[in-house]
Amino acid sequence: MNSALSGIRVIDFSRVLAGPFCTMNLADMGAEVIKIERPKYGDDSRNFGPFKNKESSYYGYVNRGKKSITLDLKNPKAKEIIKDLVKQADVVVENFKPGVMEKLGFGYEVLREVNPGLVYCSISGFGQYSPYSSRPAYDIVAQAMGGMMSITGFPENPPTRVGSSLGDISAGLYAAFGIVTALLHKQKTGEGQYVDVAMMDSVFTFLESNIVRHTVGGVLPERVGSRHPISAPFDSFKAKDGLVIIAIASDHHFSKLCDIMKQPELMQDEKFCTDPNRVLNEKELKTIIEMWLGQFTVDEAIKVMMEQGIPCSPILNIEQVCKDPHIEAREMLVEVEHPAAGAIKIPGNPVKLSVTPPMVKEPAPILGEHNEAILKQFLAYDDGQIAQFKEDNVI
Amino acid sequence: MNSALSGIRVIDFSRVLAGPFCTMNLADMGAEVIKIERPKYGDDSRNFGPFKNKESSYYGYVNRGKKSITLDLKNPKAKEIIKDLVKQADVVVENFKPGVMEKLGFGYEVLREVNPGLVYCSISGFGQYSPYSSRPAYDIVAQAMGGMMSITGFPENPPTRVGSSLGDISAGLYAAFGIVTALLHKQKTGEGQYVDVAMMDSVFTFLESNIVRHTVGGVLPERVGSRHPISAPFDSFKAKDGLVIIAIASDHHFSKLCDIMKQPELMQDEKFCTDPNRVLNEKELKTIIEMWLGQFTVDEAIKVMMEQGIPCSPILNIEQVCKDPHIEAREMLVEVEHPAAGAIKIPGNPVKLSVTPPMVKEPAPILGEHNEAILKQFLAYDDGQIAQFKEDNVI
């Protein structure tokens, strides 16, 4: 099948999450991603659970469809091999702390000499130029410094981390967008460039309108639980056996809800007749809605409201979402057959392209699985040389 | 200055957030985005606060650098104009509920006839094929159905919405990645295609390893507050005047922390000597750390820990992050001069490209600001025709 990025070769120095998530998206779109890993140990994430037959499925999911070559980045011979690989590549991705690639001799200025058309992408906590560039940054630091924790959670609770690694994932996705954008420029002009993405910046943009609410509106957005800051009823509500999301932002839908609840008089009540008034009297409204909801299970309540076109939904836990028919219909959970781990189910790619669809079929590589193939195919090394490299701990 | 997407023309039917966030990223990279808005009213988000001189800065931030033409999508003459515009475009973006564009006569099958090389992107809550395609989807629904709410928040609290519109922003960003990827394919082959992105799918992928923790590990990931599921101390901690993030995932850093706390014996204590043991005794460890932290302000505590290279940070609120020197150094808040609103500060673009940097300089358009210019430039209409269109409420 066609792939949009077929013919694009990526040399991937990245580890754990932000970088690998970026190159995973490139691999899904058909790029050949050659992942460079430490001899014997590999990417740290090979030690992150859950494991199946001793293989990390954390590593397995985020590195599907890539090739693995082990190379000791400090070994002079390995350095030569890397430069030879970069010569034949289109993209380099790395997510070391700023300065590390320079120290290793693989900084942008060096590698662009080797390959002037190179698109070189660095992902880091705070970017290549920032007062904080040298600081270590885990995801929670990016979420805390990017402002997201301050607006997530209930007002009576402390600032709350988003339950997954938003800092890594958002930066990895921006980096993938930046790289493909740079490749488009390269395809037109032959010119490569440097792509610098910071986790803190990425999280910051995910604040969306909360930024102008402050810079223009003079408001300090804070934690509002699951409520909507300017619409009601727009929240989670208790039904007989769990919570239901109701998302009403118009009088039309509210009026429908009043009808279903058999309380059409609410729509005439000054306290509830407009969206701003409903927000002012939100607590009372929530009590009224939950009194009504209490007679229904979540499923029943949703059925009744859906029939009237009211935006609503259950709150799925991870088990429920993984089993959901939508996820199946959209191929958002894909089974891949790993040579050591066997069949594992990993997330699919959400960018459904009709002509060049994303491919999530190949498993992640075993450590160094492609050492020989890569050295032979790209660098024409012979068996003797490869044996010597192994002996010398180059690979 | 160079722009990677200069020469790329986007006809933008999208409204409010997910679609406009996608085309904002394309505009930042130099694409010419022509936004089609309802005559007299425009995009709903023109009515979302905060306002400055009656202009919405919500609309203003997410539509910077675009052009606005008003066209009544149901008017036959407007339909002709739109087809003429699409003929001269590379990309169409829309985020109506599935089926609406078809009803209006602008479905993919129709517009690809008009322009065979077209990249046509639809963003919706559940995608074009799904058991839920026809359901209305606000952000909170995508967060609830995508599994994210179930793992965000404290265990003693209900599932919690991420404090910003993760469903919209993640889908908009994936769509931008998908469009640029499709443009790369188009540039090579001349071939256009359909890009279908769902908010629920996008949120689902942001769960990252929580998915394999369930599908492979058999675990049901739940809410853990701001803690790390498998490392400690990795959480927020109380100092004298607020909370501090400490993110320690190695014995090396923990040992440094023990030294700073002048309690090196903790590192010898069986309860705390390994990461798994620290997780088991996390509550006790948190008490010990907070007893020590209580003597310092947040700033003091961070200074002391930073000096020893311990990953830590304050938790910035929206006001603090907007003032932060990092945000300034990275041009992540940019002042644009709006003809009606005056100067407003809006978020910059986090994808720092060295040769074709993102441009966040032009303000968002006033409603219909480019009606005449677009009709004249692209369709060679004369003043008389344009006056007639106005009279007939076409534009």
Side-chain angles (χ1 to χ4, degrees):
Chain A
M1 190 128 40
N2 256 330
S3 280
L5 300 186
S6 68
I8 298 293
R9 192 171 297 145
V10 180
I11 307 298
D12 185 4
F13 293 83
S14 74
R15 298 109 359 92
V16 183
L17 192 49
F21 187 82
C22 165
T23 55
M24 176 191 93
N25 276 286
L26 303 179
D28 287 356
M29 294 303 173
E32 179 181 34
V33 177
I34 297 176
K35 185 175 173 92
I36 298 179
E37 299 190 71
R38 269 190 308 171
K40 296 196 183 92
Y41 300 98
D43 189 330
D44 281 345
S45 69
R46 288 188 181 271
N47 300 313
F48 299 172
F51 300 96
K52 194 174 167 199
N53 297 340
K54 293 187 190 159
E55 290 287 323
S56 161
S57 58
Y58 184 113
Y59 177 94
Y61 117 73
V62 82
N63 291 290
R64 78 269 189 113
K66 303 179 189 174
K67 293 174 178 170
S68 167
I69 180 170
T70 54
L71 284 166
D72 174 0
L73 297 182
K74 293 180 178 164
N75 180 300
K77 277 185 194 152
K79 284 182 199 282
E80 270 176 55
I81 292 173
I82 287 170
K83 286 186 184 168
D84 283 340
L85 287 172
V86 168
K87 244 180 230 165
Q88 301 178 60
D90 304 280
V91 179
V92 158
V93 179
E94 63 94 8
N95 66 342
F96 289 106
K97 257 203 337 193
V100 170
M101 283 293 272
E102 284 74 11
K103 263 188 216 154
L104 290 167
F106 302 124
Y108 177 54
E109 296 306 325
V110 174
L111 295 190
R112 78 189 290 194
E113 291 270 316
V114 171
N115 178 348
L118 193 66
V119 172
Y120 184 118
C121 178
S122 295
I123 307 170
S124 58
F126 301 105
Q128 304 300 303
Y129 57 92
S130 156
Y132 312 141
S133 277
S134 64
R135 289 192 190 174
Y138 286 93
D139 174 75
I140 192 174
V141 169
Q143 291 200 27
M145 298 281 288
M148 189 59 83
M149 282 184 69
S150 80
I151 59 167
T152 298
F154 287 85
E156 61 276 19
N157 282 128
T160 308
R161 179 177 175 268
V162 174
S164 72
S165 297
L166 179 67
D168 288 87
I169 300 299
S170 62
L173 186 51
Y174 269 120
F177 169 64
I179 288 167
V180 179
T181 301
L183 285 172
L184 206 61
H185 181 74
K186 184 189 174 179
Q187 208 171 70
K188 277 193 295 189
T189 64
E191 200 173 23
Q193 60 183 309
Y194 189 67
V195 185
D196 168 18
V197 174
M199 287 161 63
M200 179 171 166
D201 298 351
S202 302
V203 169
F204 183 71
T205 65
F206 272 61
L207 299 174
E208 38 96 8
S209 59
N210 289 290
I211 298 167
V212 289
R213 283 178 65 206
H214 178 67
T215 61
V216 180
V219 168
L220 179 58
E222 285 186 319
R223 294 181 291 291
V224 294
S226 297
R227 290 200 303 111
H228 194 286
I230 54 169
S231 282
F234 205 110
D235 197 352
S236 67
F237 298 86
K238 279 195 199 94
K240 204 195 282 177
D241 61 345
L243 293 168
V244 173
I245 297 291
I246 302 176
I248 290 181
S250 74
D251 293 342
H252 167 73
H253 281 142
F254 183 65
S255 157
K256 291 233 161 175
L257 180 66
C258 296
D259 288 345
I260 300 175
M261 295 197 301
K262 300 207 171 77
Q263 299 178 60
E265 68 280 7
L266 292 177
M267 198 56 217
Q268 313 306 325
D269 190 328
E270 211 190 328
K271 283 185 286 185
F272 308 120
C273 62
T274 68
D275 201 21
N277 289 6
R278 288 192 289 276
V279 172
L280 287 176
N281 299 290
E282 197 165 349
K283 236 180 173 167
E284 190 180 339
L285 183 56
K286 190 164 189 169
T287 308
I288 294 170
I289 292 173
E290 292 189 336
M291 293 245 310
W292 168 74
L293 267 182
Q295 62 187 306
F296 298 109
T297 64
V298 171
D299 287 348
E300 289 164 356
I302 285 166
K303 190 163 177 285
V304 166
M305 289 189 286
M306 281 280 178
E307 274 165 9
Q308 296 302 316
I310 292 174
C312 62
S313 77
I315 301 175
L316 303 183
N317 67 23
I318 304 295
E319 181 180 5
Q320 290 166 328
V321 65
C322 285
K323 276 188 191 154
D324 196 85
H326 168 94
I327 294 299
E328 195 186 335
R330 303 283 295 175
E331 293 186 82
M332 287 309 299
L333 262 185
V334 183
E335 196 164 87
V336 296
E337 188 69 33
H338 188 278
I344 62 169
K345 276 199 174 172
I346 62 174
N349 193 294
V351 180
K352 306 301 183 189
L353 291 163
S354 63
V355 174
T356 60
M359 310 273 221
V360 184
K361 283 177 186 159
E362 298 298 320
I366 293 169
L367 183 61
E369 182 176 339
H370 304 89
N371 281 356
E372 300 198 9
I374 291 169
L375 292 174
K376 286 180 180 173
Q377 186 190 338
F378 298 114
L379 308 173
Y381 287 122
D382 63 27
D383 288 340
Q385 281 170 299
I386 293 170
Q388 191 64 49
F389 283 147
K390 272 187 197 157
E391 211 164 285
D392 297 346
N393 293 315
V394 175
I395 59 174
Chain B
M1 192 129 38
N2 256 330
S3 281
L5 301 185
S6 68
I8 297 294
R9 191 170 298 144
V10 180
I11 307 299
D12 184 5
F13 292 83
S14 74
R15 297 108 2 91
V16 185
L17 193 47
F21 186 83
C22 165
T23 56
M24 176 192 92
N25 276 288
L26 302 178
D28 287 355
M29 294 303 174
E32 179 182 34
V33 177
I34 297 176
K35 185 176 172 92
I36 299 179
E37 300 190 71
R38 268 190 308 171
K40 296 196 183 89
Y41 301 98
D43 189 330
D44 282 344
S45 69
R46 288 188 180 271
N47 300 312
F48 298 172
F51 299 97
K52 194 175 167 198
N53 297 340
K54 293 186 188 159
E55 290 287 326
S56 160
S57 59
Y58 183 113
Y59 177 93
Y61 118 73
V62 82
N63 291 290
R64 79 270 189 112
K66 303 179 189 174
K67 293 175 178 169
S68 167
I69 180 170
T70 54
L71 284 166
D72 174 0
L73 297 181
K74 293 182 178 164
N75 181 301
K77 277 185 196 153
K79 285 182 199 282
E80 271 176 53
I81 293 172
I82 287 170
K83 286 187 185 167
D84 283 340
L85 287 173
V86 168
K87 244 179 229 164
Q88 301 177 59
D90 304 280
V91 179
V92 159
V93 179
E94 64 93 8
N95 65 343
F96 289 106
K97 254 195 352 187
V100 170
M101 284 291 273
E102 283 74 11
K103 263 189 213 152
L104 290 166
F106 303 123
Y108 177 54
E109 296 305 325
V110 173
L111 294 190
R112 78 189 291 193
E113 291 269 316
V114 170
N115 178 347
L118 193 66
V119 171
Y120 185 118
C121 177
S122 295
I123 307 170
S124 58
F126 301 104
Q128 305 300 305
Y129 56 93
S130 156
Y132 312 142
S133 278
S134 64
R135 289 192 190 174
Y138 285 92
D139 174 75
I140 192 174
V141 169
Q143 290 200 27
M145 297 282 287
M148 189 60 83
M149 284 185 67
S150 79
I151 59 167
T152 298
F154 287 85
E156 62 274 21
N157 282 128
T160 307
R161 178 179 175 266
V162 174
S164 72
S165 297
L166 180 67
D168 288 87
I169 300 298
S170 62
L173 187 50
Y174 269 120
F177 169 64
I179 288 167
V180 179
T181 301
L183 285 172
L184 204 63
H185 180 74
K186 184 190 173 180
Q187 208 172 69
K188 277 192 295 188
T189 63
E191 197 173 27
Q193 60 183 309
Y194 190 66
V195 185
D196 169 18
V197 175
M199 287 162 62
M200 179 171 167
D201 298 351
S202 302
V203 170
F204 182 70
T205 65
F206 272 60
L207 300 173
E208 37 97 7
S209 58
N210 289 290
I211 298 167
V212 288
R213 284 179 64 207
H214 178 68
T215 61
V216 179
V219 169
L220 178 59
E222 285 188 319
R223 294 181 292 290
V224 293
S226 296
R227 290 200 303 111
H228 194 286
I230 53 168
S231 281
F234 204 110
D235 198 352
S236 67
F237 297 86
K238 279 194 199 96
K240 205 196 282 178
D241 62 344
L243 293 168
V244 174
I245 297 292
I246 302 176
I248 290 181
S250 73
D251 293 341
H252 167 73
H253 281 142
F254 183 64
S255 157
K256 291 231 162 177
L257 179 66
C258 295
D259 289 345
I260 300 176
M261 295 198 300
K262 301 209 172 74
Q263 299 178 61
E265 67 279 7
L266 291 177
M267 197 56 219
Q268 313 307 325
D269 191 329
E270 210 190 329
K271 283 185 285 186
F272 308 121
C273 62
T274 68
D275 201 21
N277 289 6
R278 289 193 288 277
V279 172
L280 287 175
N281 299 289
E282 197 164 351
K283 238 180 174 167
E284 190 180 340
L285 182 57
K286 188 163 191 170
T287 308
I288 294 170
I289 292 173
E290 292 189 335
M291 293 245 310
W292 168 74
L293 266 181
Q295 61 185 308
F296 299 110
T297 64
V298 171
D299 287 349
E300 289 163 356
I302 285 166
K303 191 163 176 286
V304 166
M305 288 189 287
M306 281 279 178
E307 275 166 8
Q308 297 303 316
I310 292 175
C312 62
S313 78
I315 301 175
L316 303 183
N317 68 24
I318 303 296
E319 182 180 6
Q320 290 166 329
V321 65
C322 286
K323 278 188 190 154
D324 196 85
H326 167 94
I327 293 298
E328 196 187 334
R330 302 283 296 175
E331 293 185 83
M332 287 309 299
L333 262 186
V334 183
E335 196 164 88
V336 297
E337 189 70 32
H338 188 278
I344 61 170
K345 277 199 173 170
I346 61 174
N349 193 295
V351 181
K352 307 302 183 188
L353 290 163
S354 62
V355 175
T356 60
M359 310 273 221
V360 184
K361 283 175 187 159
E362 298 299 320
I366 292 168
L367 183 61
E369 182 177 339
H370 303 90
N371 281 357
E372 300 199 8
I374 290 169
L375 293 174
K376 285 179 180 175
Q377 187 191 336
F378 298 113
L379 308 173
Y381 287 123
D382 63 27
D383 289 339
Q385 282 171 299
I386 292 171
Q388 192 63 49
F389 283 148
K390 272 186 198 157
E391 211 165 286
D392 297 345
N393 293 315
V394 175
I395 59 174

